[in-house]
Amino acid sequence: MASSGPAPEPSTSTTDDSARIGLGTVGSPAGNPSEQPVRPNNHVQRIQLRKKQVSNWPHSKKLLKLAIYSECQASFHGDSCKCNGWKAPTPPARSPRADSTQPLANFTDPCRCCSHDLRTHVTHLESIDENDLNKLLGMVVDVENIFMAMHKEEDEETKRVYFYLFKLLRKCIMANTTPTTSEGPLGQPPFETPSIHRAVSNFVLLKYAHATQREYSTMSDLAKMFLHCLNHWNFEAPSVKKNTLSTEDFSLYKIHYTRWLVFCHIPAFCDSFPHSETTQVFGRSLLRYVFKSVKRQLKEKIKNEKSRMPHEKRYLLLNNFPRFLAQLEEEIYALSSPIWDVDFKHELPAHLQHLQPHDPKVVMGVRRPGEFEKLMVMPNDKEQFTTINLTPGIGKKHGRPETGAALEPNAKRSRLEDSCDDVSDQTIAQIIATINDPSCMAGPEAVFPENAPRDAAVKVEESKGLIRFHVVGNSLSQSVSKQTMLWLIALQNVFSHQLPRMPKEYITRLVFDPKHRTLALIKDNRAIGGICFRMFPEQGFTEIVFLAVTSNEQVKGYGTHLMNHLKDYHIRKNVLHFLTFADEFAIGYFKKQGFSKDIRLPRGCYQGYIKDYEGASLMHCEIDPRIVYTEFTAVVRKQKEIIKKLIEQRQQEVQKIHPGLTCFRDGVRSIPVESIPGILETGWKPAARSTRALQHSPEESHDHDTLQQTLRQVLNTIKGHSSAWPFLKPVDKNEVPDYYEHIKYPMDLKTMADRLKSHYYTTRRLFIADMTRIFTNCRLYNSPDTEYYRCATVLEKYFQTKMKELGLWDK
């Protein structure tokens, strides 16, 4: 067969996300696209289960297993044994799968190769930590899986890559070291800039920035779907593409394919190696080689599976995905496309800015640590409903459910925990236990908490089931339950009594209008308050029409909790702006809820949509999708308590009185700041070198050999970059006659390599100066619209990044 990746099982290492995008398992074998692949993630789950089982083995059984991969520790007349792993005295009858299938033995059994007993192969492992032992066993499981995949693989070049990683991992097991694939001729990711992920994000901005919110959201979802497919795709082996590519392209594709195997594909099921996403480390050249085959197979897969898709997904994929792929193909194969510009910038119109994350790294749905998940749900104007329960664990939905699993009442927006460098999880857990400990809450604050949040008592009532929150509304397309109609009538009465200046007929018309919805507060099965609103999802905002709580239930925090529930509901609907006309009595309330008279939404978005009211002020509120508003005050207060406890702990650790300085009496005019007693213990670092390790930089240690080795590594990495080709050797005077008339001090990477060999670079500053001169000369001679100028910009940023990673950059 024409191999397009590793063995059948590892080659289908997709994730459960594939079910969410409506394509089933993506990344079918390229040799036979119509073939039904293995169920998503099946093989990966089996590997993880195997590792978990192995980690639960008794200690002795673990040592017996590792003996197969451990060097013999015995020595004879001063010479150590050369045996690289214990082997059974009698080989098994069937052993086509190497030593991974050999049965476990006893510690006294002799090795077939060196005759030493099994214990001599594991004596160095008996004292190591259990976690390190489990790590080695996980690597053993990965070695066995790589070996199995290698024997099932039919493509010779792919098999060689498997064999290389097999030997590398075995060597790491024997040496008890962490495997790494970045040290070698393949380089280290990322291999191209900008990445595929960045280019596809730029494509969506370029083509659909001026579209409606609905179309922009649709194309953003399709872009995420396409990137997900590429991240889990099984690319064709170079032998399959040999006849379709030129010699130069074939050589480059072989390099990309090998890098993809080593850094992206094999680490997906062998997590002993560091894993990289395909779309994050590869760029234009790889996408050009694989796009047409990926596009063809995706269309065939959609066609084959359309009958099993839900109606909404089938409509999305059959009507929008082909157009998306066709437009993307034009930009990929165009001679010059702005989506591949590293400095691409494109501002969204105001009505779409709430859909665009501020961080370019999260354009396509990638969250930053600490952010709540942003639920992308496309609005649907045709959707009708009667009642939706917003109180977790209470009641049921009536009528037709809302579109998308993200709108289930019990769904929670997941979080990514912030990694904290200086505070351990154990410390935080101890502090939280102290905060929640009733014995630590004695005193007046336990009964009368200082500055208690307005919605604290309301949340207690909600948790006890005394109150509930429902989004209710009328419908002309389906029957409305009697309970819903009773609640709407009660809400109409509450609004009429609490808003006497508003005509009762007008209130009735809006409350029962199918286009309006009301968030109702239900107590004792009757509506005692609510917020009537109308959503304009295409314009990106919601108008709040009425807000009231019955008079005998006011000043209890119900209004604040109502507004928080409404904000959380709109985050799930992806509508992040509120507008309302507030009279003089309501302005104070709305200000407390985050509203302002400073309208940051462009007038064109709401003019002609929102109703004007005399004697009222227009107010605006922008919702932050990273916040769970119903839990916001509790989270902030708990964070405040944690910080206070951490400060107290820190004060106890560093609080120490040092004697005063007496050196100035002896005539000393100045001293280094770091010499002041206790200053370093506070965490202070010299400002000039705050980004560099004081003791580990090659230059500070005066280790010339280490500096030379580090600079050589940087230079080789720069020379291997895709944008380094104009600077590899000196400019030929015959090709560019006037170059040396304009450039008085030329420099190139070959000259720098010669200077490095002659030990010219005694400090890093000399090395930086020569490298900077290359980029300065290029910009001086070439205009900004040339390819040379672009290469200099890209390579300079890459050079600075590498120097910062090695601690050799102060700026």
Side-chain angles (χ1 to χ4, degrees), residues 213-215 217-218 311-313 315 376-385 388 400-404 407 477 514-515 517 535-539 569 572-575:
Q213 176 180 328
R214 184 188 184 90
E215 185 177 12
S217 298
T218 299
H311 173 73
E312 294 82 1
K313 290 181 180 178
Y315 179 84
M376 298 295 291
V377 181
M378 289 184 298
N380 187 354
D381 286 340
K382 299 180 181 179
E383 175 191 351
Q384 299 291 338
F385 76 103
I388 299 174
R400 193 173 66 149
E402 297 232 357
T403 303
L407 296 183
S477 61
K515 295 181 180 179
R517 307 180 184 185
M535 297 179 67
F536 296 92
E538 294 290 345
Q539 302 304 116
Y569 174 77
R572 295 199 294 270
K573 300 293 289 182
N574 197 32
V575 177

Side-chain angles (χ1 to χ4, degrees), residues 65 68-69 92 94-104 144 147-148:
K65 182 69 174 177
I68 304 172
Y69 299 88
R94 301 174 59 188
S95 57
R97 298 185 179 181
D99 37 22
S100 63
T101 62
Q102 296 180 12
L104 298 176
E144 294 172 353
F147 190 85
M148 293 288 294

Side-chain angles (χ1 to χ4, degrees), residues 750-800:
K750 183 179 182 301
T751 303
M752 289 188 65
D754 295 338
R755 288 188 169 189
L756 190 61
K757 290 180 182 178
S758 62
H759 301 281
Y760 168 79
Y761 298 116
T762 56
T763 67
R764 62 183 175 86
R765 291 182 178 84
L766 291 174
F767 184 80
I768 293 174
D770 277 357
M771 188 68 73
T772 305
R773 182 177 296 171
I774 294 177
F775 309 131
T776 305
N777 290 345
C778 179
R779 295 193 189 96
L780 181 63
Y781 185 80
N782 300 283
S783 60
D785 58 343
T786 61
E787 182 71 11
Y788 303 104
Y789 195 102
R790 188 195 68 81
C791 286
T793 302
V794 173
L795 196 61
E796 183 176 30
K797 291 180 179 178
Y798 183 71
F799 167 68
Q800 293 176 2

Side-chain angles (χ1 to χ4, degrees), residues 54-103:
V54 169
S55 65
N56 292 328
W57 281 357
H59 186 76
S60 59
K61 189 175 180 180
K62 293 178 180 179
L63 293 178
L64 291 172
K65 182 69 174 177
L66 287 171
I68 304 172
Y69 299 88
S70 301
E71 291 180 330
C72 183
Q73 304 298 308
S75 60
F76 185 73
H77 294 300
D79 295 330
S80 59
C81 182
K82 303 300 182 182
C83 180
N84 63 357
W86 183 86
K87 297 172 181 61
T90 304
R94 301 174 59 188
S95 57
R97 298 185 179 181
D99 37 22
S100 63
T101 62
Q102 296 180 12

Side-chain angles (χ1 to χ4, degrees), residues 164 181-188 191 255 258-259 263 720:
Y164 163 74
T181 52
S182 60
E183 296 178 0
L186 294 176
Q188 54 185 346
F191 304 111
I255 296 173
T258 305
R259 286 171 168 172
F263 292 95

Side-chain angles (χ1 to χ4, degrees), residues 557-568:
Y558 289 140
T560 297
H561 205 48
L562 271 169
M563 186 61 71
N564 288 337
H565 265 298
L566 188 67
K567 290 177 179 177
D568 285 346

